[in-house]
Amino acid sequence: MIRVKYLLQHVHIHPLLWIVIALSIATAHFLEVCLLLGIIFIHEMGHAAAASFFSWRIKKITLLPFGGVAEMDEHGNRPLKEEAIVVIAGPLQHLWMMALAYAMYSLDLVPEELFALFINYNLMILVFNLFPVWPLDGGKLIFLLLSLQKAFPEAHRMCLIISFFSLSIFSLLILLTAPAHLNVWVVIAFLYFSLYHEWKQRRFIFMRFLLERYYGKKTGLGQLKPIQANEQDLLIHVLEKFQRGCKHPIIIESDGKEKGMLDENELLHAYFTEKRLSDKISDLLFSY
């Protein structure tokens, strides 16, 4: 009960949503809007509940005029399995909601029209959220899959590129099949804006990832994965090879021979605390 109260305290309603609710009352679509908002709310609470279970820092859960978002303050340094569970926890809510609706319909507790509407809304939100487009759940799963093999900046960049092409294909399909569907175009515009903003902020997001790795919890750093670095490599270029879910010993080589080894925390300390922004990796080896 305490955890539910904690999650509810983080729920925010976007001001424009009140306008949508008012318009739904004026146009006699209040029931449909309530159903959509209820489904979206439970979806986002699924994310938040899973995040709370793993003691993640929850910033807020926002209900938007065309969806919802559960914002966390973790920055990519939690175990990949944890993050996968948090991402999947949202879509999983639709399964029990549809099962419950079917049970109530079978017992004649809800009319057929309301049951069909509820199922359609659930399927629509479930399928749409699994599209491989950032920041939808499908896009976040793509980022996690890429992070299994690639460094953080590369995985993030590839995720955004895949998202852009996926959204472009979806936009083309809507243009050919339902060009007058204004609500869908609003959502598409929001997703394009989110991708543009994420792309513009990708360097800042990477720095935030490194900062959290240096100052935050390191529970997700299980696997040891050495990074081979030439002594002439710049410090920042080595940091750009850091991968999620891995602890990196840095092996420094010169002319094909191992010259020394550094711990990843020594690199992070040199970059953020000592401000050695333009140093070569060999400079750190002599210092430490």
Side-chain angles (χ1 to χ4, degrees), residues 71-90:
E71 297 181 51
M72 313 300 171
D73 196 19
E74 294 300 331
H75 314 305
N77 277 295
R78 287 289 189 159
L80 295 177
K81 288 183 179 179
E82 274 188 21
E83 186 158 345
I85 292 171
V86 171
V87 172
I88 294 171

Side-chain angles (χ1 to χ4, degrees), residues 42-56:
I42 293 174
H43 177 107
E44 298 304 329
M45 288 297 285
H47 290 307
S52 176
F53 177 80
F54 292 117
S55 300
W56 284 26

Side-chain angles (χ1 to χ4, degrees), residues 95-110 115 118-119:
L95 302 182
W96 72 261
M97 282 193 284
M98 289 189 288
L100 179 61
Y102 178 76
M104 295 177 68
Y105 172 69
S106 300
L107 296 172
D108 293 325
L109 296 177
V110 294
F115 167 71
F118 186 76
I119 293 298

Side-chain angles (χ1 to χ4, degrees), residues 18-287:
W18 295 114
I19 299 176
V20 172
I21 293 173
L23 289 173
S24 71
I25 296 173
T27 57
H29 289 91
F30 183 66
L31 177 61
E32 290 89 336
V33 171
C34 284
L35 280 179
L36 272 173
L37 288 178
I39 292 169
I40 291 169
F41 174 74
I42 293 174
H43 177 107
E44 298 304 329
M45 288 297 285
H47 290 307
S52 176
F53 177 80
F54 292 117
S55 300
W56 284 26
R57 297 165 295 182
I58 301 172
K59 291 177 65 176
K60 61 180 177 178
I61 305 160
T62 307
L63 295 179
L64 303 167
F66 40 79
V69 58
E71 297 181 51
M72 313 300 171
D73 196 19
E74 294 300 331
H75 314 305
N77 277 295
R78 287 289 189 159
L80 295 177
K81 288 183 179 179
E82 274 188 21
E83 186 158 345
I85 292 171
V86 171
V87 172
I88 294 171
L92 284 179
Q93 305 311 307
H94 300 285
L95 302 182
W96 72 261
M97 282 193 284
M98 289 189 288
L100 179 61
Y102 178 76
M104 295 177 68
Y105 172 69
S106 300
L107 296 172
D108 293 325
L109 296 177
V110 294
E112 182 177 356
E113 183 179 343
L114 182 60
F115 167 71
L117 189 64
F118 186 76
I119 293 298
N120 287 337
Y121 282 170
N122 266 283
L123 289 174
M124 177 184 69
I125 295 172
L126 173 61
V127 172
F128 183 75
N129 262 283
L130 291 177
F131 281 2
V133 176
W134 183 272
L136 300 177
D137 295 335
K140 292 177 180 177
L141 290 174
I142 291 294
F143 186 26
L144 289 176
L145 288 174
L146 291 170
S147 296
L148 291 173
Q149 297 295 330
K150 299 185 181 299
F152 184 96
E154 185 180 1
H156 188 227
R157 181 179 61 84
M158 289 186 64
C159 173
L160 296 181
I161 292 172
I162 292 171
S163 297
F164 175 78
F165 281 105
S166 299
L167 185 57
S168 298
I169 293 171
F170 177 72
S171 302
L172 181 60
L173 291 175
I174 294 299
L175 185 63
L176 295 175
T177 58
H181 209 307
L182 181 60
N183 291 341
V184 176
W185 287 114
V186 171
V187 174
I188 288 174
F190 170 75
L191 291 175
Y192 271 121
F193 174 79
S194 298
L195 282 174
Y196 171 77
H197 183 265
E198 189 80 8
W199 181 265
K200 293 286 286 185
Q201 294 290 316
R202 66 189 187 280
R203 196 65 184 176
F204 167 75
I205 292 169
F206 173 56
M207 288 295 115
R208 193 173 59 182
F209 161 75
L210 292 178
L211 277 169
E212 180 69 18
R213 192 166 181 128
Y214 182 42
Y215 292 108
K217 295 181 179 179
K218 300 177 176 59
T219 54
L221 308 180
Q223 177 186 358
L224 280 176
K225 190 169 185 179
I227 290 177
Q228 309 285 339
N230 187 277
E231 65 173 348
Q232 297 301 315
D233 290 344
L234 293 177
L235 171 59
I236 185 59
H237 292 161
V238 179
L239 291 174
E240 287 172 349
K241 297 179 181 180
F242 277 30
Q243 187 176 327
R244 299 177 67 181
C246 299
K247 174 77 172 176
H248 296 303
I250 316 300
I251 300 174
I252 303 172
E253 297 179 342
S254 177
D255 298 325
K257 298 180 180 179
E258 183 176 330
K259 191 174 181 180
M261 182 181 294
L262 292 169
D263 183 80
E264 68 169 56
N265 287 329
E266 293 173 324
L267 273 68
L268 294 168
H269 178 79
Y271 192 81
F272 289 111
T273 303
E274 299 180 354
K275 309 299 182 184
R276 301 171 68 170
L277 308 183
S278 59
D279 277 16
K280 296 179 181 179
I281 198 71
S282 57
D283 299 330
L284 272 66
L285 186 61
F286 295 128
S287 300

